[in-house]
């Protein structure tokens, strides 16, 4: 029996706490981890710890690896081999392959049918299921919360902890409801919703909390849209963001490679339905957002909280009363070389990047293709379209989306993180301005001195066509 | 460590993210050492850096963004032992403690005074007394909080060491928990 007034978060946490009683004095609980996702960048040092201490993996069958961050997005040569220009990246990728082999971890290497950005491919494979605890040495692990799983990013030391014990020491976070109600306007997407949430609450509001996204807008969203929302929980400061599983979730999971099948699936659905947050449950904090008022969003500064509707004037730092806010905003605009007080509409754009674990799923590619179909990418713009996984790439090609992109003059590339974090050579030239569907507009994120404006795939594609910041509603 | 007295590097900007502390292109490594030279690589260019500084004074919400522990490794490798702010992002905060880098949290007013003090006299030493939780710099004196009881200085040599030991000691408890449940997925089923 569960007490009345329990949240989805509480149910998952309590179900995975290995210590019988809650930890006293705010000490950490020992939390059992159902699924551990790993990639090449944050795992090598953790494997080294295992070796140094003579430890093995406790549950290799609850661990899975993919290559995504530092791999090239250029296709393999005729011999099927990928060209990795950076010798250090090659060493890192080889280390992952060797480590997975030695410790018995299943790996989806470059070119494998299941390879992709870790947060795109794992859900597609049905590995992510409601009620699970999922960790990865990666802050966008929150993405998997779209399925009603408690999923969060960890540091590399903790990767070693989970390897060796399948558990973590973790402090119980507080809960924060983000209630989003109402229908979205045409041209407004899940990305605009989450950018508008973060612009409203700020990038550190979620510190110490997990978000639970509720409300009619969320209920009406597809799984892919929900993943775009939960993906950016960390941009609001929360390490995890949950959404109640429902029929949309169960329909998505049915028939996926690693999801339960037959009677086991029906049993699982019955169990998943019981995870629901009680009507009477209270959250530590709550905010309400009216989705009907959300417009296509862009960012203008150097953190994801510096966002505004596409037609609005850039806020003036001088208007900020807090000295430290003012300093940060001024510095951001200087870096971006953007003037306050005027809208960014018409501002020239040099690169458009459609990709990343926020917006590289089939529905995102469809959105971008819808704008590009029958149009051309502006001569002044380089546009990269990077699908999130091999599976997404094949599905997009089956629909002919690749042809639309290529005909329009965009580059259609191999799955991976690519220009989201510019580890693999896909990067902005110094000073270039990009409109990107990724999740971070930090200084230098897409290349040294590169300038990033975050937006939805619809808005990004519209900017690619016109070569300037554009309100996508003019092209619908 | 009882007291830390050192020059400080001042970066009074809010929301300094881990990409700024260490850009992703330096994460192409399989080691934890040697990252210090990339610390604030695209950003500081050593301009305001006092190379002997062991204290870093920064704006609010320091360490937001990526979970990369490399950010902490880079700071520690550079020689930083304490970071002073009004607040830290969760993952950075946990990673820091795990590596013996101490996140020191002061109130907003004290922080503003400290920033002004260091702007006026950058050569001023910051003295952090961990036992009494007092920080001083010139005429400024302030209390602070730090989750110091969980700091494990020795972990800097073997990251995660003591926590890992604590978890390994719970092997029986973990085994009992596993016995009571089916694994939710089997990643090896199709191999
Ligand atoms: S796509 Fe970007 S945000 Fe997502 S996992 Fe890769 S690097 Fe991180």
């Amino acid at each position: 029996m569960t007490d009345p007034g329990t949240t989805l978060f509480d149910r998952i946490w309590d179900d995975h706490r290995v210590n019988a009683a809650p930890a006293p004095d705010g000490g950490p609980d020992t939390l059992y981890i159902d699924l551990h996702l790993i990639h090449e960048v944050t795992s090598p040092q953790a494997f080294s710890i295992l070796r140094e201490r003579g430890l093995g993996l406790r549950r290799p069958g609850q661990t899975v690896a993919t290559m995504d961050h530092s791999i090239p997005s250029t296709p393999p040569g005729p011999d099927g081999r990928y060209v990795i220009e950076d010798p250090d990246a090659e060493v890192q990728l080889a280390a992952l392959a060797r480590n997975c082999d030695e410790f018995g971890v299943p790996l989806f290497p470059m070119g494998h049918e299941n390879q992709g950005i870790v947060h795109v491919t794992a859900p597609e494979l049905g590995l992510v299921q409601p009620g699970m605890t999922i960790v990865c040495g990666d802050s966008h692990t929150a993405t998997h919360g779209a399925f009603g799983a408690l999923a969060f990013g960890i540091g590399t030391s903790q990767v070693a902890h989970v390897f060796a014990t399948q558990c973590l020491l973790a402090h119980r976070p507080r809960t924060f409801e983000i209630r989003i109600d109402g229908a979205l306007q045409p041209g407004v997407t899940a990305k605009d919703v989450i950018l508008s949430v973060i612009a409203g609450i700020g990038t550190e509001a979620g510190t110490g909390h997990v978000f639970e996204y509720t409300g009619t807008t969320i209920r009406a969203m597809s799984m892919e849209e929900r993943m775009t929302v939960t993906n950016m929980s960390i941009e609001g400061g929360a390490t995890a963001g949950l959404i109640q599983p429902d029929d949309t979730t169960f329909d998505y999971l049915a028939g996926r490679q690693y999801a339960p099948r037959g009677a086991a699936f029906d049993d699982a659905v019955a169990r998943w339905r019981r995870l629901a947050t009680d009507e009477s449950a209270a959250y530590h904090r709550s905010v309400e957002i009216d989705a009907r008022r959300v417009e296509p969003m862009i960012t203008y500064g150097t953190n994801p909280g510096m966002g505004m509707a596409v037609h609005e004037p850039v806020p003036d730092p001088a208007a900020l009363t807090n000295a430290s806010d003012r300093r940060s905003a001024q510095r951001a605009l200087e870096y971006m070389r953007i003037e306050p007080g005027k809208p960014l509409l018409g501002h020239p754009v040099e690169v458009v990047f459609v990709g990343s674990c926020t917006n590289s799923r089939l529905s995102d590619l469809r959105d971008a293709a819808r704008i590009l179909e029958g149009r051309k990418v502006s001569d002044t713009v380089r546009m990269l379209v990077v699908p999130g996984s091999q599976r997404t790439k094949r599905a997009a090609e089956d629909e002919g989306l690749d042809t639309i992109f290529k005909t329009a003059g965009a580059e259609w590339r191999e799955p991976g993180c690519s220009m989201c974090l510019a580890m693999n050579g896909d990067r902005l030239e110094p000073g270039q301005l990009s409109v990107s569907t990724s999740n971070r507009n930090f200084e230098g994120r897409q290349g040294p001195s590169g300038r990033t404006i975050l937006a939805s795939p619809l808005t990004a594609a519209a900017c690619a066509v016109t070569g300037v910041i554009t309100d996508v509603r003019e092209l619908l | 460590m009882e007291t830390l007295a050192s020059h400080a590097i001042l970066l009074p900007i809010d929301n300094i993210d881990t990409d700024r502390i260490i850009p992703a292109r330096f994460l192409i490594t399989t080691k934890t050492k040697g990252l210090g030279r990339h610390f604030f690589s695209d950003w500081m260019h050593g301009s305001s850096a006092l190379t002997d500084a062991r204290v870093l004074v920064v704006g609010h919400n320091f360490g937001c963004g990526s979970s990369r522990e490399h950010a902490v490794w880079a700071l520690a490798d550079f020689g930083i032992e304490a970071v002073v702010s009004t607040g830290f992002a969760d993952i950075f905060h946990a990673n820091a403690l795990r590596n013996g880098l101490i996140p020191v949290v002061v109130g907003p007013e004290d922080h503003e005074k400290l920033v002004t003090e260091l702007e006026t006299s950058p050569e001023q030493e910051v003295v952090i007394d961990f036992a009494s939780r007092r920080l001083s710099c010139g005429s400024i004196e302030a209390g602070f909080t730090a989750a110091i009881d969980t700091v494990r200085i020795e972990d800097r040599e073997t990251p995660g060491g003591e926590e890992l030991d604590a978890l390994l000691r719970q092997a029986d408890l973990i085994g009992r928990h596993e016995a009571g449940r089916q694994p939710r997925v089997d990643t090896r089923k199709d191999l």
Side-chain angles (χ1 to χ4, degrees), chain A residues 34 42 77 99 106 113 118 145 157 169-170 173 187 201 205 236 254 283 302 317 332 374 389 401 440 444 448 466:
Chain A
D34 289 319
T42 53
N99 287 330
E113 59 172 2
V118 59
S157 302
L169 293 177
I201 64 173
Y283 300 88
T302 53
S389 69
L401 301 185
R440 286 183 174 150
T466 58

Side-chain angles (χ1 to χ4, degrees), chain A residues 25 28 171, chain B residues 93 97 102-103 130-131 133 145-154 162:
Chain A
D25 310 329
H171 293 271
Chain B
H93 191 262
L97 289 171
I102 306 180
F130 291 105
R133 301 281 207 278
T145 58
I148 217 140
D149 303 332
T150 50
V151 172
R152 298 172 183 89
I153 304 296
E154 68 271 30
E162 195 174 292

Side-chain angles (χ1 to χ4, degrees), chain A residues 68-69 117-119 138 140 231 356-358 417 420-421 439 445:
Chain A
D68 53 6
H69 280 66
I117 304 173
V118 59
H119 311 308
D138 194 288
H140 290 101
N231 175 269
S356 92
C357 57
T358 316
C417 298
C420 173
L421 89 168
N439 44 44
R445 168 82 174 182

Side-chain angles (χ1 to χ4, degrees), chain B residues 99-131:
Chain B
N99 288 274
L101 174 71
I102 306 180
V104 170
V105 181
V106 294
E109 282 174 19
D110 288 331
H111 184 264
E112 203 55 47
K113 281 190 224 155
L114 177 65
V115 169
T116 314
E117 181 78 22
L118 285 170
E119 271 169 354
T120 341
S121 12
E123 297 288 332
Q124 195 80 255
E125 279 207 335
V126 175
V127 182
I128 304 174
D129 182 344
F130 291 105

Side-chain angles (χ1 to χ4, degrees), chain B residues 45-167:
Chain B
H45 303 295
S47 55
S48 67
L50 300 159
T51 47
D52 66 339
R54 288 182 287 152
V55 174
L56 181 65
V57 177
V58 294
H60 193 60
N61 196 30
F62 184 76
C64 60
S66 130
S67 62
R68 60 188 69 158
E69 200 161 324
H70 307 67
V72 172
W73 297 332
L75 290 171
D77 196 58
F78 186 84
I80 302 295
E81 295 176 23
V83 188
V84 183
S85 174
T86 47
F88 294 87
D90 284 334
I91 303 179
F92 178 88
H93 191 262
N95 283 342
L97 289 171
R98 205 163 278 126
N99 288 274
L101 174 71
I102 306 180
V104 170
V105 181
V106 294
E109 282 174 19
D110 288 331
H111 184 264
E112 203 55 47
K113 281 190 224 155
L114 177 65
V115 169
T116 314
E117 181 78 22
L118 285 170
E119 271 169 354
T120 341
S121 12
E123 297 288 332
Q124 195 80 255
E125 279 207 335
V126 175
V127 182
I128 304 174
D129 182 344
F130 291 105
S132 68
R133 301 281 207 278
R134 305 291 299 173
L135 173 153
S136 61
C137 176
S139 58
I140 313 288
E141 220 201 297
F144 65 83
T145 58
I148 217 140
D149 303 332
T150 50
V151 172
R152 298 172 183 89
I153 304 296
E154 68 271 30
D155 280 3
R156 195 173 293 176
E157 293 310 309
T158 41
E162 195 174 292
E163 236 178 315
L164 182 50
D165 289 336
L167 283 163

Side-chain angles (χ1 to χ4, degrees), chain A residues 50 189 202 343 417 435 468:
Chain A
L50 291 186
T189 68
C417 298
V435 175
V468 295

Side-chain angles (χ1 to χ4, degrees), chain A residues 304-319:
Chain A
M306 295 175 168
M308 61 184 191
V310 65
H311 55 81
E312 277 177 350
V314 176
D316 191 347

